[in-house]
Every structure is written in structure tokens, then in C-alpha cells.
Amino acid sequence: MMKPLRRHAVALACLGVLASAAAQEPIVEYRVSERDTLIGLSQTVFVSPQAWREIARLNRLPDPNLIRPGQVLRVPARLMRTRPVPVALASSVGEVSVAGAPARPGMAIAEGQQLETGANGSAVLALADGSRVKVPPSSLAEIIAGRGPGATDAQAARLAADGWFSGAMRMLRGSVEVLAAKVRRGPPLEVTTPTAVVGVRGTQYRVSLDGDTNATRSEVLDGKVRLESPQRNVGSDVAAGFGAAIDAAAKKPEPVKLLPAPDLAAMPERFERPLVRFALPTEQATVRVQVAQDEAFERIVSDGKVEPGSDVRIAGLDDARWFLRARRLDGQGIEGYDAVRPFVLKARPEPPASNTPRAGGKQSLGPVEFRWSPNLDARTARLQVARDDRFQDIVAEREGLEGNALTLDLGGPGVYHWRLASTRADGDKGPFGDPQRFELRPLPEPPKGGLGDDGKSLTLAWSGRPEDTQHVELARDPAFKEIVAQADLSAPEWTLPRPSQSGTYYFRYRSIEPDGFVGPYSSPLVIEVPRDWRYLWLLTPLLFLL
């Protein structure tokens, strides 16, 4: 009876890695351990009891019953017994399913089962040999094979963990990123698509399938891969730092250098709005942008492409610390090196909606009423008023505001900026909203003037801007209900004939600015119009008749 295979007793040089030419089948090297016999191995390690005969001929054994510990037997890979080794779902985030059912981290994925990620979901697969496969959003992959050598499940799992593993995955949509185990005694994971096979000789690479053209692309970050079309028998080796593409036409893929990482210098470190948005002002290429919960990008929640000249826009993120990476795409869609930046999103509780003063509004100098619509998720509001839009010259600041209104006296005229923020009951403070600009216009100066030197007219003047229109009124009462004259003028002055009746008159004006803002009326100017005695001599003859 053969003892269980032990790590120090069994050493396969590879599982099918010695296939050099089409006529030469893959060969596995098996190191004989103590008490091994060819007949015994045929019942436990090889595929059939008759396998020992072919192995004896291949190794030119003079006595098939005599093999010695340490001796290396060359065994055709087809004669090696393998057993399925499940692929583990190491982690998942968002919408991820396995065989049509919701995925659970830690679950085993068997041969023939499909893994699908939604638009905001991603997953990481852990292979038995220590390799990891990252499946980003909007991808669909199927486990074709995950196998280790051995007569029992325990043997297969143990030896697969030691590098004796053969795996294959079929890409049906999207992309995968593979980090292959560095210590490997069997063939690494093979990725297939409808148009290509990616045979891995490296340790870190990416494979994507274009849903529109069915082109398969691969980029190699470390090691080497073989990208080929088995149907057309064309292919190329792709080394680290290069990428290649192959489509249904199956022309020989020509490796090209990966594009350098994009410049993320314009990206802020902190965002205070639910929509994360920033520009890539120097980019001339399409950029793929991903956001993940972790720096290793195993928990990707957003994956999209940004066309040249467009802003990066990412919605649906929670307040947290995130990691963003971006890579350029060349004309073939081959993706280049990554640029990675962490950022913080703190957009909640969202600020109240400001109502008045409205943005760009004007009002006359005096108490200012601020009104807003509170955030129902917050207990109180915070308000700031400043003379500059950067809020360095703050003239008023209030916290703990309940309700939806506050009246403040800001002092002198000028341009002001105000903004609001929300505070939860537990003291969590949200960001300030966008500043709103408004202007306090000075009160009109009192007018001057009265009866002219000639006694025949009224001449009135006041301070005013040349671009404003002036509305003027002359009345017999201070309430201006008995108006005797009014006009709209283009200059801050008014000359009108002396009223025919003597007595007290009242004058006021107000300015109308080009944007339609109507200022308040000035304080009234009191004008006394005396009796006109100049024509009294006409009554002299009547006096003599008396």
C-alpha cells in the first residue's frame, strides 16, 4: 500500500508545461517516494491500472517492478489523475452572483459555474495555488477547470496549495485582472474568450473582452503571456510592459507598449458633494476610472470610461475614504499603467437649500432676512456670512439654528456671500453648501434744491449713478397721495415750472438700476412755494375806487 503523498515525497515539475511542439505531448515529472511501485501508482496517481506499461516503456525501465526512491519518472500529462479543486470567492462587494444566486464571501465555486458582477459590484477569486483573480464591475466569467493532482480530495487540495494546480476560466463579458502565484509547479490559470486564449507565463496581467467587437485584449504588468487564436493558429508572446489585441479576424496580434499613467494632479483630495466630479484637463485619450474601497482594488464599486474633454463623474458613493485609479486606453482599447489617488468623500448631512437672499440678488441697506429649507436628516443648521467668496472675511456666523429663518444686521452696504451647513443630532457636521452672493445697496441720499433763483421754476438734484434711471414725484402731502407731477429721468436732476399754487410741496426720488432693481424712495424734501406778489400792482386801481 502506498503511503499518502507527502510534500517532500512528491515533486511534479509541472502539469503539462513541457509541451514544446505540436507533436510532443505535455510531460509531467514525478519523483518516486518510498514504497512506490508502478502498479500501485497506477491505482492511485495515474489514470488507470494499465498506465504503468506505457510509463515503463517511456522511461525505458529494465524492470517495471523496480523503481527507487528519488527516481524521476517522465509521465504523459494525460496519464496523471487529477481531481476538482474548488475556487473560493475571497471577497465581494455590491451586486455579485454565482450560478444565478447571490454570492457569499468564502463560498466555493465549482467547475462550470458562472460568476457575474453588476455595475456596482466586484469580486476576488482565490485559486488553490494562491493566485487571485479580480473580477471588476459588469463582468461575466465561468470556471472551466480548477484541478490538482492526487487520488483523494485531500491530496489534490494539498498539492494544489503547493503549486500543483491547473485552472481555466472563460471570459464571457467584461474583464479580469490576474495575480498569479509566483511559486508554481503546474500550468497557471488559462483565460479563454470567444476569440482568444491567454496562456499565462507571467504573474500579473489583465484580460478584457470587447462586447461590441468581440476583440480580446491583454496587458502584462509582470512576466509574460501568450495571446493566441486557436481557431486561426496565430498568436504572440506579450512581455511585461506591453499589451496586445486580437479579434475574430485573428490577425497576428502585435504587442505595443502600455501607455503611461494619466495625470491626476487636478483631482481634489476631498469632495463635499454627493456627485464626485473633477476634470482631467491635460488628457487627450479615453481614460478608464475605477473606485474601490481598498487600496488593492479588490472591492471595486465603480468602473467607467471618460472621453477626452469630459469630466470624471462618479455617483452613488457613501461618505468614506476611497481609492481611485485611472489608466489610459490607446486606439486599440489596450489599457496602460495605473495612476492611483486616495480621496475622502464627506457630503452628508447635506446642507439646507437656501431660499433668500437669492443668488445675485440686491436689497437696500437694512436688516437682512435669511431663509432656507432645512435638511430633515439634520437637527440644526450653521450659517456664515462673509465679504469674500472664500469666507476669510466673515462678518456673521451662527450655529445651532433651529427652524428656517434668521434676521441679521450686517452693517454697511456692499457685496456679501452666505452659505449653510447641516448638523446631525449627534454633532456630525456636514459640509457647507455653495455660497450665494447678494448685495446691500446704500440708501438714497436726501435730495437738494427748491425754488430757483428766477422764482419761475423748481430745480432739484441728488446723487445718482449715470447708468440708472430716476423716478421722481412731487406731491402736496407727505404721504404722496396727492401727486401733482412725476417723471422718469435719465439723469439725477429735475427742473420743472413753479407750481401755480403756493404752499408746501414734497419731493422724492428712487433709482432703477439696469438689471431692474428698484431702490427705495429717498426721504422727502420739503419745498415751500410762496405767494407770487409780482402782479399785485394790477389791483392798485381797484384800491382807489374803494
Side-chain angles (χ1 to χ4, degrees), residues 1 17 43 61 181 215 321 335 360 411 432 486-487 537:
M1 180 71 64
V17 295
Q43 296 173 347
L61 298 178
R321 178 176 171 84
E335 302 179 6
F432 280 102
Q486 60 182 338
W537 62 272

Side-chain angles (χ1 to χ4, degrees), residues 405-463:
L406 177 69
T407 300
L408 295 174
D409 190 344
L410 301 178
V415 174
Y416 292 87
H417 304 264
W418 73 293
R419 63 184 183 180
L420 292 158
S422 299
T423 303
R424 291 193 175 104
D426 61 2
D428 180 29
K429 294 183 177 181
F432 280 102
D434 295 332
Q436 305 295 319
R437 179 188 181 277
F438 68 98
E439 186 175 356
L440 289 183
R441 301 294 293 140
L443 295 175
E445 296 183 4
K448 298 178 181 180
L451 195 62
D453 294 339
D454 59 1
K456 297 180 181 181
S457 62
L458 295 178
T459 301
L460 305 165
W462 57 95
S463 176

Side-chain angles (χ1 to χ4, degrees), residues 352-373 383-386 391 395-396 404-410 414-420 434-441 517:
S354 59
N355 295 332
T356 57
R358 62 181 178 83
K362 296 179 181 180
Q363 69 180 70
S364 298
L365 185 63
V368 180
E369 184 181 40
F370 298 91
R371 301 189 70 88
W372 59 87
S373 299
L383 180 144
Q384 287 183 340
V385 185
F391 285 79
V395 297
N404 66 340
L406 177 69
T407 300
L408 295 174
D409 190 344
L410 301 178
V415 174
Y416 292 87
H417 304 264
W418 73 293
R419 63 184 183 180
L420 292 158
D434 295 332
Q436 305 295 319
R437 179 188 181 277
F438 68 98
E439 186 175 356
L440 289 183
R441 301 294 293 140
F517 173 73

Side-chain angles (χ1 to χ4, degrees), residues 90 135 140 197 205 215 222 295 323 378 383 439 443 461 480 495 545:
V135 186
L140 177 62
V197 174
Y205 63 99
D222 185 20
E295 194 171 4
F323 295 87
L383 180 144
E439 186 175 356
L443 295 175
F480 285 81
T495 300
L545 292 176

Side-chain angles (χ1 to χ4, degrees), residues 146-496:
R147 292 186 165 266
T152 66
D153 290 342
Q155 285 179 342
R158 184 173 68 251
L159 293 175
D162 197 30
W164 313 105
F165 177 80
S166 177
M169 172 180 288
R170 179 182 291 116
M171 285 273 316
L172 302 173
R173 184 178 68 246
S175 60
V176 293
E177 181 175 348
V178 180
L179 181 61
K182 291 183 179 297
V183 178
R184 180 178 293 282
R185 297 182 177 88
L189 178 69
E190 183 177 78
V191 180
T192 69
T193 73
T195 53
V197 174
V198 182
V200 184
R201 296 168 176 80
T203 56
Q204 188 174 5
Y205 63 99
R206 302 187 295 247
V207 180
S208 63
L209 175 64
D210 191 314
D212 296 328
T213 65
N214 241 15
T216 300
R217 305 182 183 96
S218 183
E219 302 98 30
V220 183
L221 304 177
D222 185 20
K224 183 188 293 185
V225 305
R226 176 73 179 178
L227 177 64
E228 59 186 357
S229 170
Q231 297 88 350
R232 301 295 182 90
N233 196 29
V234 295
S236 297
D237 288 335
V238 185
F242 288 80
I246 192 170
D247 57 20
K251 295 180 180 179
K252 182 177 180 180
E254 298 295 336
V256 296
K257 282 190 175 182
L258 300 183
L259 293 178
D263 182 8
L264 296 181
M267 175 183 168
E269 296 180 354
R270 181 182 177 92
F271 294 88
E272 294 186 341
R273 299 293 178 269
L275 178 65
V276 173
R277 180 174 182 172
F278 63 95
L280 296 173
T282 63
E283 282 305 320
Q284 302 297 318
T286 299
V287 177
R288 184 176 183 181
V289 177
Q290 296 176 323
V291 176
Q293 296 177 346
D294 62 309
E295 194 171 4
F297 283 82
E298 294 189 346
R299 300 176 65 85
I300 299 173
V301 299
S302 177
D303 189 353
K305 295 178 181 178
V306 180
E307 298 299 325
S310 301
D311 288 352
V312 176
R313 296 180 180 89
I314 305 165
L317 299 181
D318 295 329
D319 286 358
R321 178 176 171 84
W322 297 94
F323 295 87
L324 179 144
R325 72 179 177 187
R327 59 177 78 116
R328 294 184 174 114
L329 279 67
D330 68 9
Q332 299 183 77
I334 296 171
E335 302 179 6
Y337 287 103
D338 290 328
V340 179
R341 285 283 299 275
F343 69 93
V344 172
L345 175 61
K346 176 54 177 170
R348 303 162 183 92
E350 295 185 47
S354 59
N355 295 332
T356 57
R358 62 181 178 83
K362 296 179 181 180
Q363 69 180 70
S364 298
L365 185 63
V368 180
E369 184 181 40
F370 298 91
R371 301 189 70 88
W372 59 87
S373 299
N375 182 350
L376 299 181
D377 292 333
R379 180 177 179 180
T380 60
R382 310 193 321 273
L383 180 144
Q384 287 183 340
V385 185
R387 291 189 179 274
D388 65 306
D389 58 3
R390 299 181 64 184
F391 285 79
Q392 295 181 342
D393 185 8
I394 295 177
V395 297
E397 186 169 12
R398 301 290 188 274
E399 294 197 16
L401 298 175
E402 298 181 353
N404 66 340
L406 177 69
T407 300
L408 295 174
D409 190 344
L410 301 178
V415 174
Y416 292 87
H417 304 264
W418 73 293
R419 63 184 183 180
L420 292 158
S422 299
T423 303
R424 291 193 175 104
D426 61 2
D428 180 29
K429 294 183 177 181
F432 280 102
D434 295 332
Q436 305 295 319
R437 179 188 181 277
F438 68 98
E439 186 175 356
L440 289 183
R441 301 294 293 140
L443 295 175
E445 296 183 4
K448 298 178 181 180
L451 195 62
D453 294 339
D454 59 1
K456 297 180 181 181
S457 62
L458 295 178
T459 301
L460 305 165
W462 57 95
S463 176
R465 305 188 312 170
E467 65 267 27
D468 295 344
T469 300
Q470 310 295 327
H471 178 75
V472 295
E473 293 180 345
L474 184 68
R476 292 303 304 265
D477 63 311
F480 285 81
K481 293 183 178 180
E482 189 181 345
I483 297 176
V484 297
Q486 60 182 338
D488 291 309
L489 309 172
S490 60
E493 58 184 6
W494 190 28
T495 300
L496 69 163

